[in-house]
Amino acid sequence: QVQLVESGGGSVQAGGSLRLSCAVFGYTGSNYCMGWFRQAPGKEREGVAALYTGGGSAYYADSVKARFTISRDNAKNTLYLQMDSLKPEDTAMYYCAAARKTCGGSWYSAKAFYYWGQGTQVTVSS
């Protein structure tokens, strides 16, 4: 059973940066699509970024391209989301997610993932 634990959220002013971490427990050594999602009050959960642990390019939502960077540290079994040039519209609960499959065209769909963390709040003030 894979467990995901996020950390690193907080409050920041517009233009600032935060780095989210997602510690992965119970990792089996198989390859996974791992992603970051966010959900603002009253809105649907949306895909922010994803990568396949077996290699290949990362995926990003258009709204965060050139501002956010997804990465992973294999030795620490940890996924990261570096968020720069933050905007008030980035305010949301951020979730780490995983699925034992390639990312492919459905990387942005929450329905494609079946392991989820508890979330970490990011608040960006103007």
Side-chain angles (χ1 to χ4, degrees):
Q1 180 77 7
V2 172
Q3 292 183 312
L4 308 174
V5 180
E6 303 99 333
S7 61
S11 297
V12 65
Q13 289 192 328
S17 298
L18 284 173
R19 188 177 79 157
L20 306 183
S21 299
C22 173
V24 182
F25 299 94
Y27 180 61
T28 64
S30 300
N31 287 312
Y32 290 77
C33 179
M34 298 201 68
W36 287 98
F37 286 75
R38 65 186 181 187
Q39 188 167 20
K43 295 188 176 181
E44 291 188 357
R45 191 167 297 190
E46 63 173 353
V48 174
L51 59 75
Y52 180 56
T53 62
S57 299
Y59 301 81
Y60 294 96
D62 288 343
S63 59
V64 306
K65 278 181 181 176
R67 299 190 299 122
F68 291 10
T69 304
I70 188 172
S71 64
R72 58 190 288 262
D73 184 325
N74 293 338
K76 296 182 179 180
N77 280 342
T78 301
L79 182 74
Y80 300 101
L81 184 69
Q82 176 67 40
M83 305 186 295
D84 299 318
S85 302
L86 282 161
K87 304 176 180 180
E89 51 263 43
D90 294 319
T91 295
M93 185 71 79
Y94 282 70
Y95 298 90
C96 177
R100 191 175 170 181
K101 64 176 189 66
T102 56
C103 292
S106 63
W107 74 267
Y108 55 87
S109 173
K111 295 179 181 179
F113 292 80
Y114 38 86
Y115 296 113
W116 291 88
Q118 81 288 351
T120 185
Q121 178 69 35
V122 172
T123 303
V124 185
S125 58
S126 57

